[in-house]
Amino acid sequence: MKKICLYFEIHQIIHLKRYRFFDIGRDHYYYDDYENERSINDIAERSYVPALQTLIQMCKDYPEFRVAFSLSGCGLEQLEFHAPQVLDLLQELNATGQVEFLCEPYSHGLASLANEESFAAEVKHMSDTIYEKFGKRPTIFRNSSLIYNDDIGAQVAAMGFKGMITEGAKQVLGWKSPHYIYSCAADPRLKLLLRDIKLSEDITERFSRQDWSEFPLFADKWLDWIASTPEGEDIINIFGELVTFGILQPLSSNILDFLKAIPALAKERGIGFALPSEICEQESVGTLDVPYSISWVDEERDTSCWLGNVMQREAFNKLYSIADRVRVCGDRRIQIDWDSLQASNNFRFMTTKPGYQYRGIYDSPYDAFTNYMNILGDFIARVNNLYGGADNEEIDGLITLIKNQGDELEAKDKEIERLRKKLEKYNPTEFEEESSEEAEPKKVAKKPGRKPKAKKE
């Protein structure tokens, strides 16, 4: 039976304000509050609220319907502060039991390409946040903009995730189909779900384009394309952004009517729905080698939109040169700014690739680079000031010492657990007695000579 795996991303750009060179050292607040509030409320009203209301109704009307979401931590913070009604709708969706929340880097940043420890810390932060908000710890991972390579897959597997979603990029698939389950070449424990680019972008990019040969697109035609895929190619991964509904594709295009029609028409064609975690319970058909990074952005499906020119690489390297210092500093305000400065859109604004139009407050990629580097200059100075003017060698030595001590403690904990299991194997009775003693509540002995006080009438 063919099954559709439907997933939507929810992320919100945090807009930085105009920050001049002369503000460095004087102004430590980097955000355009007006634009942040305006944009999140606009998107919530035009997209998130009507789209989520539609999905809630679909879950109520069709118990077999399934949908997955991934929220960035930065996006979640913006929603909590400016548009809490969106979180209420997500909670209502969660209560249906037909929804799964995936994990991603908290900042929606590029740490997976730069610093393993920072990447792992972000993922843990987001996993804890999802558990706190929705009551279940995620088992499936998606990286920012579906960025993936073999090394990232191995690290995600080591974190305990059983699956990861990424792009069905032609440069890695070749003759293979995205409609199967694959495994990470570096660690086959991790299952890979690959986006069907054409079927996904028929909705997210081409739906309302009147010059498209398939316009207008109706749900029955789109589902016929799915039903006609070759026998055995049963996993149809449709991934996109939730802003597809109302922003990328206007509501006047009847995009929500298209969405609402899918469950009933899919049932007529014998097509079902599944969550990513349900699909990852199945066996993979083999490993997939991805030696170079891929993503779901632009025709190249790589990382060139963030790191394709000298300005972007300079900003990226400068930012992550202090990643270790930020991670161990323990300053909450620094951590919040760190998340915002990592967000991938900061580097996307600097792209010189043709065809990219939206740059927020910036007039050009050079304007974006200058503004970001001014802010980064102030931020780096604040981080270094936390270390009392120590030079780089002293700071790096301290960070290395902390890391080594942490690794030693972790290794000792694993050794203790290994020895405990070994002892338990040879002395099961002793461990059973210890467990029962721990379970029994201790009785508190009464002190002699004390009588309970009589109650006053």
Side-chain angles (χ1 to χ4, degrees):
M1 180 183 184
K2 296 189 186 299
K3 291 192 174 181
I4 297 173
C5 179
L6 198 60
Y7 152 81
F8 296 115
E9 167 200 295
I10 298 178
H11 169 62
Q12 178 62 26
I13 291 175
I14 295 182
H15 297 274
L16 303 177
K17 70 179 182 182
R18 282 284 178 188
Y19 194 91
R20 310 295 180 185
F21 176 80
F22 299 104
D23 293 327
I24 298 174
R26 297 171 55 250
D27 181 3
H28 305 316
Y29 191 77
Y30 309 137
Y31 312 108
D32 186 337
D33 291 333
Y34 172 79
E35 182 58 23
N36 284 324
E37 182 176 5
R38 186 207 64 78
S39 61
I40 189 65
N41 280 316
D42 179 59
I43 292 171
E45 182 180 348
R46 293 168 54 200
S47 174
Y48 290 162
V49 169
L52 290 173
Q53 288 173 338
T54 298
L55 290 167
I56 289 169
Q57 192 59 49
M58 290 166 69
C59 286
K60 289 178 179 178
D61 293 343
Y62 304 98
E64 69 278 6
F65 180 69
R66 301 284 187 274
V67 63
F69 292 94
S70 175
L71 293 83
S72 71
C74 291
L76 190 61
E77 289 175 2
Q78 292 286 298
L79 290 172
E80 283 183 317
F81 193 72
H82 296 299
Q85 70 273 24
V86 175
L87 291 182
D88 291 341
L89 291 171
L90 287 170
Q91 292 287 5
E92 190 175 345
L93 256 177
N94 187 45
T96 65
Q98 297 163 239
V99 174
E100 179 174 14
F101 290 94
L102 313 187
C103 188
E104 67 167 76
Y106 191 89
S107 69
H108 196 79
L110 306 175
S112 60
L113 302 173
N115 189 291
E116 287 188 6
E117 289 79 11
S118 292
F119 178 53
E122 280 206 72
V123 172
K124 183 181 184 306
H125 188 190
M126 195 68 236
S127 178
D128 292 342
T129 302
I130 293 295
Y131 180 74
E132 177 189 337
K133 297 293 182 187
F134 302 107
K136 192 174 181 181
R137 197 166 291 280
T139 60
I140 307 298
F141 184 76
R142 66 87 67 182
N143 203 1
S144 311
S145 301
L146 303 193
I147 294 172
Y148 177 81
N149 61 42
D150 291 334
D151 292 336
I152 293 172
Q155 190 176 357
V156 169
M159 293 178 196
F161 291 96
K162 67 181 183 181
M164 183 171 176
I165 68 174
T166 186
E167 181 75 332
K170 290 294 183 184
Q171 63 262 41
V172 296
L173 273 176
W175 56 268
K176 297 177 181 176
S177 167
H179 302 150
Y180 293 100
I181 306 167
Y182 296 93
S183 294
C184 170
D187 192 330
R189 293 176 301 172
L190 184 76
K191 306 287 179 60
L192 299 177
L193 303 183
L194 307 181
R195 183 174 83 128
D196 184 304
I197 296 174
K198 180 194 175 297
L199 289 171
S200 297
E201 293 187 350
D202 285 343
I203 300 172
T204 61
E205 294 192 10
R206 291 181 285 273
F207 185 82
S208 60
R209 276 181 44 189
Q210 297 188 22
D211 61 342
W212 181 34
S213 61
E214 300 294 343
F215 179 86
L217 179 64
F218 295 104
D220 53 355
K221 182 198 292 187
W222 185 75
L223 287 163
D224 284 341
W225 293 340
I226 291 177
S228 65
T229 54
E231 187 176 351
E233 297 188 16
D234 295 335
I235 309 300
I236 314 298
N237 298 309
I238 307 299
F239 305 156
E241 300 172 82
L242 192 61
V243 291
T244 294
F245 306 100
I247 304 296
L248 301 181
Q249 306 300 329
L251 296 183
S252 59
S253 67
N254 294 322
I255 185 73
L256 288 182
D257 291 330
F258 173 91
L259 182 65
K260 282 187 284 188
I262 289 175
L265 294 174
K267 191 173 183 179
E268 290 177 5
R269 290 158 176 77
I271 300 171
F273 296 87
L275 297 171
S277 60
E278 294 172 338
I279 293 175
C280 287
E281 295 295 335
Q282 303 175 36
E283 292 296 319
S284 68
V285 296
T287 59
L288 188 69
D289 292 303
V290 188
Y292 305 107
S293 298
I294 59 173
S295 77
W296 70 354
V297 178
D298 296 343
E299 288 297 320
E300 295 85 358
R301 315 289 173 183
D302 59 13
T303 59
S304 60
C305 66
W306 305 287
L307 302 173
N309 63 45
V310 175
M311 294 184 297
Q312 291 170 310
R313 291 191 293 273
E314 170 68 17
F316 177 81
N317 293 332
K318 195 80 171 175
L319 176 69
Y320 284 103
S321 69
I322 58 166
D324 294 330
R325 301 179 195 186
V326 172
R327 194 177 64 258
V328 301
C329 75
D331 186 296
R332 181 62 182 144
R333 182 69 252 179
I334 290 288
Q335 297 289 347
I336 291 172
D337 291 338
W338 172 248
D339 289 335
S340 302
L341 292 176
Q342 281 191 93
S344 61
N345 57 273
N346 292 313
F347 302 96
R348 184 70 189 262
F349 289 152
M350 302 175 202
T351 186
T352 50
K353 294 177 71 174
Y356 186 67
Q357 301 295 328
Y358 181 70
R359 298 189 191 276
I361 64 170
Y362 307 118
D363 299 324
S364 70
Y366 313 101
D367 184 26
F369 172 74
T370 302
N371 200 71
Y372 184 78
M373 293 303 283
N374 286 341
I375 291 173
L376 191 55
D378 182 79
F379 180 73
I380 290 174
R382 289 168 57 204
V383 172
N384 289 337
N385 286 339
L386 294 175
Y387 292 89
D391 61 30
N392 288 339
E393 280 191 25
E394 290 177 312
I395 295 172
D396 292 341
L398 176 62
I399 290 169
T400 302
L401 178 63
I402 293 170
K403 183 180 184 303
N404 290 341
Q405 287 178 340
D407 292 343
E408 286 177 14
L409 289 171
E410 186 178 349
K412 286 178 181 177
D413 287 342
K414 288 180 179 178
E415 181 65 10
I416 290 168
E417 184 62 25
R418 185 186 71 80
L419 292 172
R420 179 178 175 82
K421 288 180 179 177
K422 193 172 183 180
L423 284 170
E424 189 174 359
K425 182 180 179 182
Y426 291 108
N427 301 291
T429 309
E430 182 181 340
F431 278 88
E432 284 175 11
E433 289 174 358
E434 284 184 10
S435 299
S436 61
E437 285 175 6
E438 290 174 3
E440 288 179 11
K442 293 182 179 179
K443 294 181 180 179
V444 180
K446 293 183 180 179
K447 292 185 179 180
R450 256 188 207 185
K451 294 181 180 179
K453 292 182 180 179
K455 290 182 181 179
K456 291 183 180 180
E457 293 294 335

